[in-house]
């Protein structure tokens, strides 16, 4: 089993999702092979919720990582959960054209590149 999806599944256990009940975990691998994890964190105003992917990206950046290879996203869903639009923007900006591994509790996997998930992006390099 892919270690990165295992890390995302483990991070998912820490999800704080009392409103949606939809727990998500993410794991972002940097160019040194270090894994930065995240989970979704909801709050009472709903709108301040952070997705698992964004938590992982911000944790990684705040710890000095700046080059990335892959991100894994894990949720309990038959149809695998790709990053939402906001997360796609941030993943593209901070991680570039990395591989996105999507998985569920049955460890069914799907892999796509960011350039396929987020074509024609608004880009910081413009
Ligand atoms: N969520 C994520 O953490 N990542 C995604 O890619 C999709 C959605 C979270 C946000 C919210 O806490 C819950 O899933 C339901 O939308």
């Amino acid at each position: 089993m892919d270690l990165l999806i295992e890390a995302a599944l483990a991070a998912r256990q820490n999800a704080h999702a009392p409103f949606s009940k939809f727990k998500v975990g993410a794991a972002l691998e940097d160019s040194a092979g270090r894994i930065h994890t995240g989970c979704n964190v909801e709050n009472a105003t709903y709108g301040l919720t952070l997705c698992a992917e964004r938590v992982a990206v911000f944790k990684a950046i705040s710890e000095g990582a700046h080059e990335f290879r892959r991100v894994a996203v894990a949720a309990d869903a038959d149809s695998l959960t790709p990053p939402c639009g906001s997360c796609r923007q941030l993943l593209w900006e901070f991680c570039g054209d990395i591989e996105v591994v999507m998985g569920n509790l049955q460890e069914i996997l799907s892999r796509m590149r960011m350039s396929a998930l987020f074509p024609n992006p608004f880009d910081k390099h413009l």
Side-chain angles (χ1 to χ4, degrees), residues 7 9 28-29 32 55 78 80 86 90-91 98 121:
L9 283 163
L28 181 59
E29 183 183 23
V55 171
D78 290 337
L80 299 173
S86 301
L90 285 181
L91 283 165
I98 59 171

Side-chain angles (χ1 to χ4, degrees), residues 19-81:
F19 304 106
S20 73
K21 316 271 189 229
F22 190 67
K23 296 181 169 197
V24 185
L28 181 59
E29 183 183 23
D30 69 24
S31 57
R34 190 167 161 211
I35 294 177
H36 308 265
T37 60
C39 60
N40 54 330
V41 183
E42 299 181 350
N43 96 306
T45 67
Y46 293 30
L48 296 178
T49 291
L50 277 183
C51 292
E53 297 91 321
R54 269 178 283 168
V55 171
V57 169
F58 290 147
K59 278 177 65 187
I61 297 293
S62 70
E63 288 167 10
H66 50 85
E67 273 184 56
F68 302 95
R69 293 176 183 155
R70 300 188 298 152
V71 65
V73 185
D76 185 10
D78 290 337
S79 56
L80 299 173
T81 303

